[in-house]
Each structure stands twice: as C-alpha cells, then as structure tokens.
Amino acid sequence: MNTDHHSLPVWRKRSRRADWLVFGSWVLALAFVSWTFQVMTQDTIWAFVLDAPAQVQDIGSRMLPPAWGFLPELWWPLWETINIATLGTLIGLVMAVPVAFLAARNTTPSTRFVRPVALFVIVASRSINSLIWALLLVAILGPGVLAGILAIALRSIGFIGKLLYEAIEEIDGAQVEAIEATGASTAQTMAWGVAPQVAPTLAGITVFRWDINIRESTVLGLVGAGGIGVKLEAALGSLAWPKVTTLLILILVTVLVSEWVTAKVREKLI
C-alpha cells in the first residue's frame, strides 16, 4: 500500500492571512509608538539629556551626608502630615459610605436618577488627583492644613465609594430577604442585613486608603497645603540638598511604617 506523504496537510498555527494581519498589526503598532515618541520629545534638548549622568553625580555628591541636625524641625510637619492623612481619610469615609449605598443597584432608592448622580460623584472624585484638589482648595481657603485635609477627603470619596458599592452589590441577598420577611424597615434591613456583610470589607478599604493618603499627604505641602511637603519645597527652592536627603529618608521611613501598620491591621481584619 503506497501512501503519498506529500499529500498530507501541513499544520499551521494560523492561516497565511492571519499571519499577515498579525505582521501588519505589529508594523502599525511600532509606527504609532515611533510617532508618539517623536511628538513627546520634539521639545527635548538632547544635550541636557546626555549631560544628565554628570548632573546626577554632582547633585548626589551634594546630597551627602544628610543634615541630621535638621530632624528636630521636621517632627511637627511630619505630625501634620499624619493628621492630614488620617482626618482626610475619616472625612472621606463619612462622605463615601452614603454615596456607595446610593450607587449600589441593590440599595439605591432609584436606579434611574439617584444612582447616576452617586456614580458621577465617585467618578469626579477619582478623576481629579489630590494635588489638583489641594491647588483648588488653597486658592479658595488659603494655604494650610485644612486645605490638605479636605483635598485628601475629596480624593478618598471616589476610592472608598467605588470599592464599597461593588462590595454591597456582591452581598448575599438571602440574608437581606430573611430580614425583610420579618417585617423589618428599610433602615433595619440596612443595619442588620447589609452592614454586617460589608463591614470587614469597608474596614480593609479604609486602612488601605489611609496608607495611600500618607504617601499623598507628603507632597501636598508643595502647593501650600501643609505638612512635611512645605519643608521639602523650601529645601528644594534653596538648593539645600543635605536637607532634601534628610526629608526623603524621613518620608521613606514614614511610608514603610504606614505599610507595616496597614499590613498588620489587614491581617487582623481578613
């Protein structure tokens, strides 16, 4: 029995047309990346870029050793930074919880009117960076810690609200129906059927947001919103590089401690 092996079909991962489409897609993608790179760097002075290693070495030599004698002046601004993050998180939490309940499909009083408004509040909060909020609030309220606290709070509403309303929509509906069957009011159903299910999630979200806010609060002083960023802006403005090093080390240690605290609290909650 003769078998013509040449007549057997050759296995291919894709058809020839699909191969050409993939090749064309890669060519277009590379052309797009090349074009965007040219647009982004059209105002770049490449002589400065080539000189960057020398500048880094020069500034690095000026930043060492750190100005440890500057530390006593930083404890109060650091305390302000922690308070900005903490109070801003708490105020954001208080405002985010009702917004989240209004945004969740299973707890909102109106999916046609109320829910879109609540979702708009969440999106608006998340779309604007805390530094932008701080700029606006400093222009309205003047420089100081209050502007920083409110900036953190307004930024936190969207983060906490979004994660919380998603958690509310994923609760066990059977528990809620069981409580409703007893003749409980809407407020009682929320208090005994919904709140206990989302409380651990809300606590975890809040702690996580506080950790993020610690980091964001360190730079709000650059725009006059109080905290350790005010000292950092002054040190950068006066080219006091040893002080800048001390500030960066202190900020790094603060962030590491906040991450450790957050991890320990989340371990207890989860």
Side-chain angles (χ1 to χ4, degrees), residues 21-108:
L21 287 174
V22 171
F23 177 75
S25 299
W26 276 106
V27 171
L28 289 175
L30 291 173
F32 177 74
V33 170
S34 176
W35 174 74
T36 53
F37 179 78
Q38 291 179 5
V39 171
M40 293 171 61
T41 60
Q42 61 183 352
D43 296 326
T44 301
I45 302 175
W46 292 104
F48 289 170
V49 176
L50 296 175
D51 190 48
Q55 295 299 324
V56 169
Q57 183 179 3
D58 178 54
I59 293 177
S61 64
R62 298 183 188 183
M63 294 179 73
L64 297 174
W68 299 117
F70 186 48
L71 274 176
E73 300 181 33
L74 302 180
W75 299 127
W76 181 253
L78 178 62
W79 178 244
E80 283 187 344
T81 296
I82 296 172
N83 279 306
I84 288 172
T86 305
L87 294 176
T89 303
L90 292 176
I91 295 172
L93 172 65
V94 170
M95 293 189 288
V97 169
V99 172
F101 275 88
L102 294 176
R105 293 183 184 275
N106 52 342
T107 57
T108 184

Side-chain angles (χ1 to χ4, degrees), residues 77-215:
L78 178 62
W79 178 244
E80 283 187 344
T81 296
I82 296 172
N83 279 306
I84 288 172
T86 305
L87 294 176
T89 303
L90 292 176
I91 295 172
L93 172 65
V94 170
M95 293 189 288
V97 169
V99 172
F101 275 88
L102 294 176
R105 293 183 184 275
N106 52 342
T107 57
T108 184
S110 172
T111 56
R112 179 172 295 182
F113 299 107
V114 178
R115 185 170 188 267
V117 173
L119 290 176
F120 173 78
V121 171
I122 291 173
V123 172
S125 170
R126 295 176 67 239
S127 300
I128 303 176
N129 189 273
S130 57
L131 205 60
I132 306 301
W133 281 120
L135 279 169
L136 294 172
L137 290 166
V138 166
I140 296 171
L141 302 174
V145 174
L146 179 60
I149 293 172
L150 294 179
I152 291 295
L154 291 174
R155 175 65 171 170
S156 300
I157 293 172
F159 182 91
I160 298 174
K162 177 176 173 57
L163 296 180
L164 180 58
Y165 95 74
E166 290 177 349
I168 293 172
E169 291 183 340
E170 295 174 359
I171 62 172
D172 183 6
Q175 296 184 34
V176 178
E177 292 174 2
I179 293 175
E180 289 176 340
T182 64
S185 65
T186 302
Q188 290 172 327
T189 302
M190 293 290 182
W192 300 103
V194 179
Q197 295 190 60
V198 299
T201 302
L202 177 60
I205 293 170
T206 304
V207 172
F208 184 38
R209 185 64 217 184
W210 174 79
D211 179 37
I212 295 172
N213 287 340
I214 287 287
R215 308 177 197 190

